[in-house]
Amino acid sequence: MPLGVSNTSVGRGPWEVNQNVTYFAVTHTLGLLWIDALCRWYSGDRGRFIREVIYPLAATAAIGSIVAIYQGFVDLSFLNRGFWTYMLRAAGTHGDPNKLGAIAAFWAIGTVVLARRFPSPWSAVVSAASIAIGVAAVWISGSRTGLAAIGVGLMLAAYETIRAVRFDARRLAITGIGLVFAAVAVIVVLQNASTHTIVQRGTLGYLPFFGDRGILNSANELLWERFGYGPAAIQMIKEHPIEGVGVGMFHTLVHDFGTLRGYSGERALSTDNAQNWLRHIVAEQGIVGSIPVIWWCVVLVLLLFSRPTGGDRLSIGLLRGILIGFAVASIFGMPGQAAAVVVTFWVFVFWLLMERDEPPAVQVPSRWSRPPTIAAGALIGV
């Protein structure tokens, strides 16, 4: 078939389909290779891991968030794609607002963990700046998944901080009042952004008791319907339960399967994901292909909630919190489909392992450790 001829009703040609399949296949593999490389290069040497991986990635994430804030308040077209400029959403240096939201959410908390090693008062200054910049970047991006990740992450961070730090009633009251004033100041400032924020995208309408939908309707739209992408994914699973439709094929076939579920004409589905990570995986990989993924999820959950053998309990709790936040966000979307987000996620998983165990330093010589680190930093920045 000629490369320019469409082979689906949505109008995608073979070259575009193959490109899509290749990207997602490589992205899945990248995560596995990356965590394997981190274990080989930095196992038992947390200091070198922090120095060569965490600092570069935190710096590139901060640059991306600051650029997003500049886009939101000064020039939305600066380093922003024309489509996202038209949609009034800031993407920072990441090329996609949803990618920006996920990465900003990770590093808003991750930089707080990193800042715990700084001397006073820089630890508090960097932590406060990190959270403010991260919240601002997520808000300006208009990313709902980013909002879910950073919202859950910050709530769990507050819980872990209260557990770890001894607060008397006076200190707790002062801290609470300070946080309220800081939150109000951030909200007031963000109202002046020129972007289409999360509120303007109608997100608050889905909140029970706040929006115009009841609990059941909100749950149905957020977890099941998702503008038709949920039923389309279920149709794929029904027709291909064992082997799935193939890695990277959901975007190509969602229009056709949506039509089978009644989404046609003005309601026809455009190219997008299943709006739920597990549903998307099962639709593409089937039951057989999903078994290893689900088993890995079980192992990760056991890791997150098992008692650590050592390390700084607050740092462990903060890292665990943002990983849980990312998992919650993945119920409502697919932030983990971007290569930069995959790299970031696996870095945080490995970081959690390092903080939990703190084994004695073991130098693992490898002259190839620095170039991949630099490449990963460039990946997040681009």
Side-chain angles (χ1 to χ4, degrees), residues 7 25 34 40 79 86 91 124 140 142 160 165 185 191 201 217 251 259 269 279-280 286 336 373 376:
N7 62 352
W34 180 239
R40 179 172 179 267
L79 296 180
Y86 170 76
I140 290 173
E160 294 291 347
V165 180
Q191 296 303 311
R201 296 185 67 203
N217 286 337
H251 294 71
T259 301
L269 303 182
R279 185 166 57 202
H280 190 102
T373 300

Side-chain angles (χ1 to χ4, degrees), residues 89-115:
R89 297 181 64 186
T93 57
H94 303 291
D96 187 321
N98 296 315
K99 187 192 303 184
L100 165 67
I103 292 175
F106 266 116
W107 287 106
I109 306 297
T111 306
V112 174
V113 178
L114 185 61

Side-chain angles (χ1 to χ4, degrees), residues 9-29:
S9 60
V10 78
R12 309 189 78 187
W15 171 254
E16 188 178 358
V17 172
N18 291 337
Q19 189 179 40
N20 206 51
V21 171
T22 302
Y23 175 80
F24 290 119
V26 169
T27 300
H28 286 311
T29 308

Side-chain angles (χ1 to χ4, degrees), residues 288-302:
V288 174
S290 300
I291 290 175
V293 180
I294 295 174
W295 173 246
W296 178 88
C297 290
V298 172
V299 173
L300 179 60
V301 169
L302 294 176

Side-chain angles (χ1 to χ4, degrees), residues 8 27 30 39 41 63 82 88 98 114 120 138 154 157 214 218-219 232 251 285 305 350 354 380:
T8 67
T27 300
L30 172 65
C39 291
W41 295 332
I63 292 171
L88 298 178
N98 296 315
L114 185 61
S120 181
V138 170
L154 287 175
S218 294
H251 294 71
Q285 300 178 198
F305 292 100
F350 184 75
M354 297 290 283
I380 301 295

Side-chain angles (χ1 to χ4, degrees), residues 182-193:
V184 170
V186 170
I187 291 172
V188 170
V189 171
L190 290 178
Q191 296 303 311
N192 297 317

Side-chain angles (χ1 to χ4, degrees), residues 3 8 33 39 95 107 135 271 276 281 283 287 291 304 326 341:
L3 294 181
T8 67
L33 294 177
C39 291
W107 287 106
V135 169
T271 298
N276 176 287
I281 292 296
I287 296 175
I291 290 175
L304 289 176
F326 182 76
V341 180

Side-chain angles (χ1 to χ4, degrees), residues 227-315:
F227 311 107
Y229 292 98
I234 298 302
Q235 186 66 31
M236 292 184 191
I237 296 172
K238 285 183 177 180
E239 295 193 18
H240 304 276
I242 305 300
E243 76 286 0
V245 298
V247 174
M249 289 300 296
F250 186 94
H251 294 71
T252 301
L253 299 176
V254 66
H255 179 276
D256 296 341
F257 281 91
T259 301
L260 294 177
R261 297 300 293 259
Y263 294 89
S264 57
E266 294 183 355
R267 301 177 65 208
L269 303 182
S270 58
T271 298
D272 208 337
N273 57 61
Q275 308 297 311
N276 176 287
W277 180 81
L278 182 60
R279 185 166 57 202
H280 190 102
I281 292 296
V282 176
E284 286 196 342
Q285 300 178 198
I287 296 175
V288 174
S290 300
I291 290 175
V293 180
I294 295 174
W295 173 246
W296 178 88
C297 290
V298 172
V299 173
L300 179 60
V301 169
L302 294 176
L303 170 68
L304 289 176
F305 292 100
S306 62
R307 184 179 297 275
T309 58
D312 178 22
R313 299 185 68 88
L314 180 55
S315 295

